[in-house]
Amino acid sequence: MANASQSDLFAATDLATARANAVSAELIPAIATGEDAARDYQVVRETLERITETWRDQPQLDDLARQVGLQPIQLQRVFSRWAGLTPKQFVQAITLDHARALLRDAASILDTSYEVGLSGPARLHDLFVTHEAMTPGDYRGRGAGVTIRYGFHPCPFGQVLLMITERGLAGLAFADPGEETSAFEDMSSRWPAASFVADQEATLPYAVRVFDPSAWASDTPLNVVFIGTDFEIRVWQTLLKIPMGRASTYSDIARSLGKPSAARAVGTAVGRNPISFVVPCHRVLGRTGGLCGYHWGLTRKRAILGWEAGLTGPVLQMG
């Protein structure tokens, strides 16, 4: 009887997981991926830069479209295809008021108990992540004896540099056209003694898993490998607790680690996060909702937060 009950329990759990993943797939908007998304991002990036420059003038769709050399309907289609949002909804998603809304209960979300090794409980709109850390010896050896395969791929935020080991994803960086070499030098300098092997075929599946929301499922989590100091790894693990559609602050993270006076050190560790987007350092904001910094540029941080708003949906209710 005990075995039968346990089997029934596993069967029910599997069915519930399958249903949750099916519902998630239905709710995720159809958005561009791969080369299409990378091309669209160039228009989005230029538009965001224009918006930042003329924020006080509250630029209208016609003005923005003219500045990027498109017709209004063309710009509308780009944003809808790229993020599932209209340009107006996207602008709302990156306002200070919306940023402040993301910070609601910022401290409490870090106190939530999560299943060991997972980024969070079953959520409809987020990439599920399991994580492990390299040994202290690996870190002290600055990557000696570790082989890291890497490749560049188009993604919704330009070109992405992915770095993997036999144990999982170890690095993720972004680059605009012409910046690929500097992005690789930035990342490879973190583990200077490692062996780096160009291998786009090996990294391609990670590009699909990370940036295609239809591939996100709780029963197939993405494994990441942290290579850093003990304190950095604790900060990066804490970042995984921040769900899509929410945000936290440096001081809240410091308090959650039991080091309330270490906000500056937390900021440094966040800035050194080697697995951007997957480990969501872009969801860390200033106490008043300001974007603060982002290693790969504030325009890209705005773009990522707006793109995520298209998946989570609340901005759609704002007007």
Side-chain angles (χ1 to χ4, degrees):
M1 288 295 292
N3 290 336
S5 298
Q6 190 175 54
S7 298
D8 291 344
L9 176 60
F10 287 149
T13 301
D14 290 343
L15 179 59
T17 299
R19 286 174 174 169
N21 289 337
V23 170
S24 176
E26 291 176 1
L27 293 178
I28 291 173
I31 57 177
T33 57
E35 291 280 4
D36 292 336
R39 281 193 297 268
D40 286 346
Y41 174 69
Q42 298 310 310
V43 175
V44 171
R45 184 186 66 172
E46 188 174 350
T47 304
L48 282 177
E49 290 171 348
R50 298 289 186 180
I51 289 172
T52 302
E53 294 169 359
T54 60
W55 185 263
R56 293 181 183 276
D57 298 330
Q58 297 184 347
Q60 300 300 307
L61 176 62
D62 289 357
D63 297 328
L64 292 173
R66 184 171 57 254
Q67 289 171 350
V68 297
L70 296 176
Q71 295 296 319
I73 187 63
Q74 292 176 310
L75 185 60
Q76 185 108 351
R77 286 172 179 165
V78 167
F79 271 83
S80 296
R81 181 173 60 236
W82 182 77
L85 298 174
T86 67
K88 179 181 178 181
Q89 290 168 335
F90 192 89
V91 170
Q92 289 173 331
I94 60 173
T95 61
L96 186 59
D97 285 345
H98 188 69
R100 288 170 176 161
L102 297 180
L103 285 170
R104 65 190 184 280
D105 304 323
S108 63
I109 64 171
L110 301 179
D111 296 331
T112 305
S113 296
Y114 292 99
E115 184 177 346
V116 175
L118 288 179
S119 57
R123 297 192 291 261
L124 292 179
H125 304 293
D126 219 339
L127 175 65
F128 288 81
V129 176
T130 59
H131 57 82
E132 59 182 289
M134 284 286 191
T135 66
D138 288 330
Y139 176 71
R140 286 194 298 271
R142 310 189 77 185
V146 177
T147 297
I148 298 178
R149 299 183 181 278
Y150 70 92
F152 283 92
H153 303 274
C155 79
F157 312 108
Q159 290 293 309
V160 62
L161 169 61
L162 294 167
M163 293 183 158
I164 63 173
T165 73
E166 61 182 7
R167 294 159 64 181
L169 180 66
L172 189 156
F174 294 110
D176 291 322
E179 296 179 352
E180 291 85 356
T181 298
S182 61
F184 175 76
E185 290 175 349
D186 181 323
M187 294 297 291
S188 59
S189 67
R190 303 172 189 229
W191 315 295
S195 298
F196 292 91
V197 178
D199 192 343
Q200 281 194 299
E201 184 176 353
T203 54
L204 177 59
Y206 286 85
V208 175
R209 284 289 312 281
V210 170
F211 295 106
D212 184 354
S214 66
W216 299 351
S218 59
D219 56 347
T220 55
L222 176 70
N223 194 53
V224 303
V225 181
F226 290 137
I227 307 175
T229 67
D230 178 66
F231 181 76
E232 287 173 340
I233 290 171
R234 290 178 63 200
V235 171
W236 302 337
Q237 289 171 335
T238 303
L239 294 178
L240 288 172
K241 294 183 178 182
I242 309 173
M244 187 180 293
R246 305 293 289 277
S248 191
T249 67
Y250 300 111
S251 55
D252 286 328
I253 293 172
R255 276 194 292 271
S256 76
L257 294 174
K259 297 180 177 292
S261 62
R264 187 179 296 274
V266 165
T268 300
V270 169
R272 286 188 54 79
N273 169 28
I275 314 177
S276 296
F277 186 77
V278 171
V279 179
C281 52
H282 60 276
R283 297 178 194 159
V284 181
L285 306 176
R287 174 62 63 183
T288 60
L291 291 185
C292 297
Y294 188 60
H295 192 77
W296 307 110
L298 287 180
T299 295
R300 186 169 276 109
K301 184 171 184 174
R302 290 187 181 94
I304 295 173
L305 291 172
W307 186 85
E308 290 186 341
L311 295 177
T312 54
V315 68
L316 302 179
Q317 304 169 13
M318 296 175 61

